[in-house]
Amino acid sequence: MSADGASTESLPRDAFAWCGESIAHWAVRRPDAIAAADSGSTLTYRELNRTVDAVAAALSARGVAAGDRAMILCENSVAAVVAIFAAQRLNAWAVPVNARLSTPEVDAIIDHCRPRLIVTTDAASPNAAAHGDRLAAAAWPPFAALGARVADGLAPGAPEPVFADPRKQVAALIYTTGTTGDPK
């Protein structure tokens, strides 16, 4: 521990093969340390690990499987962190999208990535809430407790190939935009 009480423990190089494995690591070693926080909520590593498991189970129950895309229409928030890691625990592709994008930009991404469902981080973003309203997002556990809703009933694309080797497996699909171009 350092003088301010923060952990100085470091991780060995290449300690984790998969995204999110570090959450379970710290849930055992520093369960009560703060792992994620925003203006509305705070989760310790223990709580984050449990919440990611619960959300992954909820996503799976809604049909999200390995190789699917799960779009997270968000701004920085605990709900976004949880949704991204939950998708990754299922070997689904997390697709984080800035909620400040315009309707045509969001729709272009939806048309391109063809997600199984869309999580909107409403409590963290009026823009996400507006997109959620437009997409008929609904509150369902455990997302409602995070201030998020889910839009499903979309026309998802076929699942992408899944690889046992984490160096070959996609964890996230990131779209970028420019001032003059479409999301790509």
Side-chain angles (χ1 to χ4, degrees):
M1 291 273 191
S2 66
D4 65 0
S7 174
T8 57
E9 179 182 355
S10 63
L11 299 174
R13 182 176 169 90
D14 300 324
F16 308 111
W18 295 95
C19 293
E21 285 181 353
S22 64
I23 297 169
H25 170 89
W26 291 114
V28 170
R29 284 162 185 78
R30 305 234 17 247
D32 297 320
I34 294 173
D38 60 27
S39 62
S41 61
T42 300
L43 295 178
T44 65
Y45 280 103
R46 178 188 298 117
E47 293 166 334
L48 178 61
N49 195 47
R50 287 179 184 160
T51 304
V52 169
D53 280 344
V55 169
L59 290 173
S60 179
R62 286 291 189 141
V64 176
D68 280 334
R69 274 83 54 220
M71 186 170 165
I72 299 102
L73 198 49
C74 62
E75 292 194 47
N76 294 339
S77 64
V78 169
V81 169
V82 169
I84 290 167
F85 281 116
Q88 291 174 348
R89 284 209 177 152
L90 298 173
N91 279 334
W93 297 18
V95 185
V97 175
N98 188 328
R100 295 180 198 172
L101 293 179
S102 68
T103 295
E105 290 171 316
V106 169
D107 288 348
I109 293 171
I110 292 169
D111 289 344
H112 184 263
C113 79
R114 299 180 55 209
R116 170 86 38 205
L117 52 74
I118 300 170
V119 176
T120 61
T121 62
D122 299 1
S125 169
N127 293 318
H131 285 298
D133 291 344
R134 182 178 66 82
L135 296 166
W140 46 276
F143 286 97
L146 297 169
R149 292 182 295 160
V150 178
D152 58 1
L154 305 169
E160 298 294 334
V162 177
F163 299 95
D165 182 347
R167 294 172 296 182
K168 296 179 181 179
Q169 179 60 37
V170 172
L173 177 58
I174 309 293
Y175 286 86
T176 62
T177 59
T179 55
T180 61
D182 291 330
K184 35 192 157 320

